[in-house]
Amino acid sequence: MILLGIDTSCDDTSVAVLHNDRVLSNIISSQDDIHRDWGGVVPNLARRAHEENFQKVYELALKRAGIAEDQIEAIAVTYGPGLAIALGVGIDKAKELAARLSIPLYAVNHMEGHLFSPLAKSKNDRGTSWQILPFPLIGLLTSGKHTEIVLVKNFGEYEVLGQTLDDALGEAFDKVARMVGLGYPGGSLLAKLALEGNPHAYKLPIPMKGTPDFNVSYSGLKTATRRLLHEMTHGQPETLTKAQILDVAAVFQDAALETILWKLGKALEKYPVKHVLLGGGSAANVTLRKRLRTLAKKHGAQVFTPRNKKLCSDNGAMIALAAYLGIRHGKQPSDPDCVERAPQLSL
Ligand code: KG4
Ligand code: ZN
């Protein structure tokens, strides 16, 4: 089955083409340059950029996949969670296409996309087949807006065991990146610098470690990092040296990962599943991947991560894949007249 996946949930316009669970193309048009000057995503500018870019991204997705429009058999689109007016663009385009091509439309939860993104196969390699993963399993979702530990009882049957009480993991990375002068969005760069720093150079608290639930919190860690920077520079952040930035990045990353991994370990103790799926923008973090594998191994579980960076951040391929897995589990097409944006949607 040839599926088209569309995601315009935030600041990336993405269209992908899949053959079943195999990604034929996954085009992402980033809006970072548009929002950089504002230090965050401006909803109106995001909507306008989605409108302007969609056709170009759609045509490129078909071209890269080597398929013609009339070969598409189903359309999958994110209907939430996300920015309402940004979601609206993708939904409208998906409805138009489904009507024009007379093919079914599937409305997909963006978080379900991140959750199953490790199961997307690439064009040429075999990848992890969704058929071999028995339920239940645990999903760790870490993005710029979400940090969740999810018990996946079956396809479509989810229990959020724990989540962040304030900032998301990726968001905390972005905020600390800004504090040390790395600009926006700096989370990915901060993680890169952390690899060169000493995680024991300073001490930061590990938030929520030891609490009996599976929740995490990042706003206290952010404040503690700000305080540390203030002490280190005596209130003059411009005096921060390169070596100090590397160390702060490493110390922050260590504390930020420790808190979520500690909770995940507790979840694995309580729910001894055999498989863990890691998804979301922060799934690109190599230290997170490494530490998660070590932790899961201790609990007799195997970790699956997205096969490339594009599958970690917001993308259309994970949306088409979630629709495909849904279809294989009996999901029915959505009634286009009833598909509406759902900015606060959860799993
Ligand atoms: O999934 P995503 O593209 O958008 C959301 O749905 O939120 O995630 C973007 C987030 C950003 O906050 C970015 O800082 C974070 O993913 N991120 C990282 C890394 N690369 C991207 N966080 C930690 N380590 C990384 N290597
Ligand atoms: Zn996302």
Side-chain angles (χ1 to χ4, degrees):
M1 171 179 223
I2 299 285
L3 300 106
L4 188 85
I6 299 173
D7 187 277
T8 62
S9 59
C10 189
D11 59 341
D12 291 315
T13 313
S14 182
V15 180
V17 178
L18 264 68
H19 177 220
N20 299 338
D21 53 350
R22 200 168 288 281
V23 182
L24 303 183
S25 67
N26 191 15
I27 309 299
I28 302 170
S29 169
S30 162
Q31 301 178 5
D32 283 352
D33 289 344
I34 296 172
H35 303 289
R36 184 164 290 120
D37 286 348
W38 306 89
V41 179
V42 185
N44 244 317
L45 296 181
R47 180 190 54 78
R48 199 198 302 160
H50 286 312
E51 292 277 8
E52 286 170 2
N53 294 334
F54 184 84
Q55 189 61 23
K56 190 174 70 205
V57 173
Y58 170 64
E59 284 170 15
L60 190 58
L62 293 188
K63 191 170 165 208
R64 288 266 171 86
I67 65 145
E69 196 174 52
D70 62 5
Q71 289 176 276
I72 306 170
E73 293 167 274
I75 298 194
V77 65
T78 298
Y79 73 109
L83 286 175
I85 58 174
L87 288 164
V89 179
I91 293 171
D92 288 349
K93 301 286 181 194
K95 285 182 184 176
E96 269 169 46
L97 278 170
R100 187 158 60 77
L101 303 173
S102 301
I103 52 176
L105 174 71
Y106 292 87
V108 173
N109 183 325
H110 180 82
M111 298 315 291
E112 209 170 30
H114 277 308
L115 175 64
F116 291 109
S117 59
L119 305 182
K121 291 185 193 162
S122 64
K123 227 180 205 171
N124 305 316
D125 82 54
R126 289 221 182 95
T128 306
S129 183
W130 60 273
Q131 284 106 328
I132 66 150
L133 284 192
F135 295 107
L137 45 88
I138 281 184
L140 175 59
L141 302 179
T142 56
S143 73
K145 272 150 260 102
H146 294 85
T147 306
E148 295 176 4
I149 297 173
V150 185
L151 180 65
V152 184
K153 297 173 184 170
N154 207 330
F155 187 88
E157 229 184 288
Y158 312 113
E159 183 183 342
V160 178
L161 301 176
Q163 57 191 315
T164 179
L165 302 178
D166 37 61
D167 293 352
L169 179 65
E171 187 180 6
F173 266 78
D174 290 334
K175 287 181 177 168
V176 171
R178 192 194 311 226
M179 283 180 213
V180 296
L182 299 179
Y184 166 89
S188 158
L189 179 57
L190 186 79
K192 213 170 172 185
L193 299 183
L195 295 173
E196 295 173 50
N198 171 11
H200 309 293
Y202 308 101
K203 224 170 164 46
L204 282 173
I206 314 285
M208 307 281 286
K209 189 168 176 179
T211 58
D213 52 33
F214 299 114
N215 293 326
V216 291
S217 157
Y218 285 112
S219 88
L221 179 60
K222 189 182 62 190
T223 309
T225 309
R226 183 173 289 124
R227 203 175 303 129
L228 171 67
L229 284 166
H230 189 83
E231 283 164 15
M232 285 167 65
T233 62
H234 307 288
Q236 292 176 297
E238 64 283 358
T239 62
L240 210 56
T241 66
K242 174 87 192 287
Q244 284 177 317
I245 293 176
L246 299 183
D247 286 344
V248 170
V251 171
F252 163 78
Q253 170 167 277
D254 194 57
L257 298 186
E258 177 60 21
T259 172
I260 186 70
L261 289 171
W262 194 85
K263 293 294 169 117
L264 192 83
K266 289 286 149 198
L268 284 170
E269 264 172 32
K270 185 163 177 192
Y271 304 95
V273 300
K274 290 278 163 273
H275 300 95
V276 176
L277 302 182
L278 174 68
S282 300
N285 188 299
V286 290
T287 312
L288 171 59
R289 288 178 179 225
K290 210 159 112 192
R291 287 178 59 175
L292 177 59
R293 282 189 212 288
T294 308
L295 173 75
K297 205 168 163 194
K298 257 197 246 159
H299 291 272
Q302 199 183 348
V303 176
F304 294 89
T305 56
R307 305 192 76 70
N308 56 50
K309 241 185 182 163
K310 280 210 278 186
L311 283 167
C312 294
S313 56
D314 293 346
N315 69 92
M318 68 181 193
I319 302 307
L321 178 71
Y324 173 73
L325 296 181
I327 293 166
R328 298 301 300 252
H329 287 86
K331 183 177 170 125
Q332 293 300 311
S334 314
D335 175 351
D337 291 337
C338 299
V339 176
E340 285 181 29
R341 54 200 195 178
Q344 304 297 338
L345 188 67
S346 58
L347 272 177

